[in-house]
Amino acid sequence: PHGRGIFHNKQKTFVNWINEGDHLRIISMEMGGDVKGVFTRLAEGANLITEGVKKVTGEETAFMSHPIFGMITCCPSNIGTGMRGSVHILVPKLIAKIGFAAIDKMCRERNCQARGSSGEHSAVVDRIDVSNWRRIGFPEYMLVNDMIMCANFLAEEEDKLPDEPAEPAP
């Protein structure tokens, strides 16, 4: 459609979605566990976009924000920092033993949520997407830390389970 697009670097580790859901979605991603590197690339890219918007518009601020609620976004669930940090984690034994709903409950107790690895409402096979669900009133580093702590917790729970096949969860 007119006025939409996806733009990325050569490595496809930094992506901008224009006018899809939100006006601008900035994504930094890569395989492996270098969360600091991914977050650093995200912060640097977001800062460059911010400075570019300010230069083009001549405005002091690039994006609409509120002093209490934070960034104003098209999607109400993203108001605040607007940041959702996520990681895909293999937990096949945990999925088989307790099921996706129980895993999501454990994630929510840790200020995160679980999704299928292909996005919200997608099928869950052997891996899940773990992300922060809080947005309003929290700095980005705290939200990334929520995600890291939750993913580490799930990995520890997965490692506690025996390697033999478990009975399917109800």
Side-chain angles (χ1 to χ4, degrees):
H2 180 73
R4 287 207 227 171
I6 299 173
F7 304 89
H8 57 79
N9 63 358
K10 287 181 184 178
Q11 301 82 14
K12 296 184 181 176
T13 57
F14 189 77
V15 180
N16 291 296
W17 286 7
I18 309 298
N19 293 328
E20 187 284 328
D22 290 311
H23 291 304
L24 171 64
R25 184 172 295 181
I26 305 168
I27 302 168
S28 178
M29 61 186 174
E30 71 182 56
M31 296 293 287
D34 185 10
V35 175
K36 184 177 180 182
V38 171
F39 188 76
T40 298
R41 182 173 46 252
L42 176 68
E44 290 171 354
N47 286 337
L48 287 169
I49 291 167
T50 298
E51 292 307 312
V53 169
K54 287 168 35 176
K55 183 177 178 181
V56 168
T57 63
E59 298 290 329
E60 285 185 38
T61 58
F63 303 105
M64 186 183 292
S65 66
H66 185 276
I68 295 172
F69 300 121
M71 302 308 292
I72 307 300
T73 63
C74 296
C75 179
S77 67
N78 288 334
I79 290 175
T81 69
M83 190 194 79
R84 184 176 77 84
S86 69
V87 62
H88 288 190
I89 182 170
L90 282 164
V91 287
K93 295 183 289 186
L94 201 57
I95 292 167
K97 176 82 174 173
I98 66 173
F100 177 74
I103 293 170
D104 186 45
K105 182 177 186 291
M106 292 190 312
C107 289
R108 292 190 183 268
E109 291 167 353
R110 289 160 180 79
N111 301 312
C112 288
Q113 67 185 43
R115 297 179 178 189
S117 61
S118 296
E120 196 169 17
H121 310 298
S122 65
V124 175
V125 180
D126 61 350
R127 70 192 71 221
I128 59 170
D129 175 293
V130 174
S131 63
N132 60 291
W133 62 264
R134 303 188 293 179
R135 305 283 196 280
I136 298 175
F138 299 95
E140 286 85 353
Y141 75 87
M142 188 179 290
L143 303 180
V144 170
N145 192 61
D146 284 347
M147 179 204 61
I148 292 168
M149 298 302 289
C150 185
N152 287 342
F153 171 79
L154 293 175
E156 290 168 6
E157 293 300 303
E158 173 78 4
D159 290 345
K160 289 178 188 175
L161 295 173
D163 285 332
E164 63 263 2
E167 293 295 318

